[in-house]
Every structure is written in C-alpha cells, then in structure tokens.
Amino acid sequence: EAAVTQSPRNKVTVTGGNVTLSCRQTNSHNYMYWYRQDTGHGLRLIHYSYGAGNLQIGDVPDGYKATRTTQEDFFLLLELASPSQTSLYFCASSPGQSNERLFFGHGTKLSVL
Amino acid sequence: QQKVQQSPESLSVPEGGMASLNCTSSDRNFQYFWWYRQHSGEGPKALMSIFSDGDKKEGRFTAHLNKASLHVSLHIRDSQPSDSALYFCAASEANSGTYQRFGTGTKLQVVP
C-alpha cells in the first residue's frame, strides 16, 4: 500500500496568517495532488505536479501556492489565509496517468479564524 | 459547476441489504471512472475502477458504466456496518496529464 503522510493533522490560524501544509510520499509516484474537501462540494483539486519543480493548476487554485521540491515532497502554501479556506485538505499521489488510482493521506484539518 | 454529480446525498440500508449509489457526468470527455470510499477520520481509499461499458464485479461490489448516458453506479450487496462511509465517484479524461474530478459524495449508513 502506497504511503502518503501529511503534516500537521490539525492547524488553526488567524485571518491573514501564513500556513504551510506538507505532504510526503514514499512510493516514487510521479504525480502528487492537493485537494480540499467541503460538504456539498466533495473533493476539489487545488494544484498538482508531475515531478520535482513542476506545478499545474487545478480547479480551485485562487489563494493557494504549491511547490514540489523533490519526487517525495509537495507543499501547499496559504500566504494570506482567509476564513473561506477553512477546510479539510488531502494530499494524494499516483504513479502516472489520470486513470490510475489515487493514494490519499489522512488529511489536514485547517481552521482560519 | 460540478462536472460529476452523485445521488443520493445520503442513504440508509439494513445490514445484509443492497445499497445502490449513482454518479452522472456532464462531460463527454470523461472516459475513466473510479469509486472511492472514505471512513470517518481517514483519507479516501480506492474501491474499484471501471473503464468499459457494462458491469464489473469485485466481491460484494458491482460497478456499472453506461458511457452513452454518462452514468456509473455502484451496488453493494450484503451490506455490512463496516461499509458505512462516504463514497465518492471520480472521473477523468483519456488524455495524459489530466486529473480525476470528484463528485459530491454519498453518505452510506448500514444499520445493524
């Protein structure tokens, strides 16, 4: 089973604060993703990457930056956090093509007060 | 606009019963479909994929795909309390470099 580890598990910040969510996968997958989960919206893709140094925009990228520093590590950055970014964030990885299964981490619950 | 819609929003079935979940896409470019299951406090986990028209069976789970109507369903027979979870349908295009788009989810409760 592919391993995807996210940190922190929970994070509370204030409006305008700076937040970095971390994700590491240990299965040499090429693709990594950041999704947010909200009731009534399901999972929505923020950013994804198909390798170190690469970044692609998903469906809801506004207010988020991301960086893939290595094959294993993918970070999501909120530089001026807003209450609308309160959500459950999931990182996922997959070997390659879009039709391959995604492996998800346990998620990070972010609250922006 | 959500490109992948799921119904019902929630579903309650008795233990041992059949649960049927539906998923409809609004984009004819979607060719590949996955079902994921998420237990409370965990990340989603892939259940099964279906890429061709017709039925695909894996144990108690059967997926059905009709590409002409852009409809995919998941049927769980002999439902168990451990099947209680949030179920997501995900769809993707045939082109490389694209990504899976998820539906809004169906919350299944199996009542003992």
Side-chain angles (χ1 to χ4, degrees):
Chain A
E1 180 82 4
V4 179
T5 305
Q6 292 183 236
S7 62
R9 291 295 297 268
N10 292 280
K11 177 73 177 178
V12 180
T13 190
V14 296
T15 300
N18 204 325
V19 176
T20 298
L21 306 184
S22 302
C23 177
R24 167 167 282 197
Q25 55 96 4
T26 57
N27 288 277
S28 301
H29 286 171
N30 290 322
Y31 282 76
M32 295 186 74
Y33 309 81
W34 278 107
Y35 285 89
R36 61 177 289 174
Q37 182 178 358
D38 303 286
T39 302
H41 293 280
L43 290 153
R44 293 179 291 173
L45 185 68
I46 304 169
H47 290 295
Y48 68 108
S49 166
Y50 52 75
N54 175 264
L55 182 65
Q56 303 293 318
I57 292 172
D59 291 325
V60 289
D62 292 346
Y64 302 95
K65 292 184 179 179
T67 180
R68 180 92 175 266
T69 54
T70 65
Q71 181 80 349
E72 296 78 21
D73 297 304
F74 195 29
F75 300 93
L76 185 68
L77 296 80
L78 292 74
E79 293 184 333
L80 287 171
S82 72
S84 64
Q85 293 176 309
T86 292
S87 187
L88 183 57
Y89 291 86
F90 285 100
C91 176
S93 71
S94 68
Q97 301 296 322
S98 62
N99 60 340
E100 297 187 74
R101 64 176 287 187
L102 301 180
F103 295 84
F104 284 86
H106 276 79
T108 294
K109 185 175 181 180
L110 175 66
S111 297
V112 183
L113 306 178
Chain B
Q1 182 185 358
Q2 201 89 21
K3 289 192 173 186
V4 181
Q5 296 285 346
Q6 290 184 242
S7 64
E9 284 188 22
S10 62
L11 178 64
S12 182
V13 299
E15 183 175 355
M18 173 77 83
S20 294
L21 290 68
N22 298 294
C23 174
T24 303
S25 165
S26 61
D27 190 333
R28 290 206 166 273
N29 292 318
F30 289 153
Q31 295 290 309
Y32 304 115
F33 296 86
W34 279 90
W35 284 98
Y36 290 82
R37 180 166 74 178
Q38 182 183 26
H39 286 110
S40 181
E42 299 180 4
K45 290 183 180 177
L47 268 178
M48 62 188 300
S49 63
I50 185 163
F51 300 161
S52 302
D53 279 333
D55 292 336
K56 181 179 181 181
K57 184 177 179 181
E58 292 188 2
R60 297 184 293 109
F61 299 87
T62 300
H64 175 80
L65 174 60
N66 182 327
K67 288 188 179 181
S69 62
L70 301 178
H71 181 260
V72 61
S73 57
L74 179 69
H75 305 277
I76 308 172
R77 67 170 175 81
D78 189 25
S79 297
Q80 301 298 308
S82 58
D83 294 326
S84 297
L86 186 58
Y87 288 76
F88 288 108
C89 169
S92 63
E93 299 178 18
N95 300 322
S96 63
T98 60
Y99 51 89
Q100 294 180 26
R101 284 187 171 86
F102 284 75
T104 48
T106 293
K107 186 173 183 179
L108 172 65
Q109 184 175 11
V110 180
V111 182

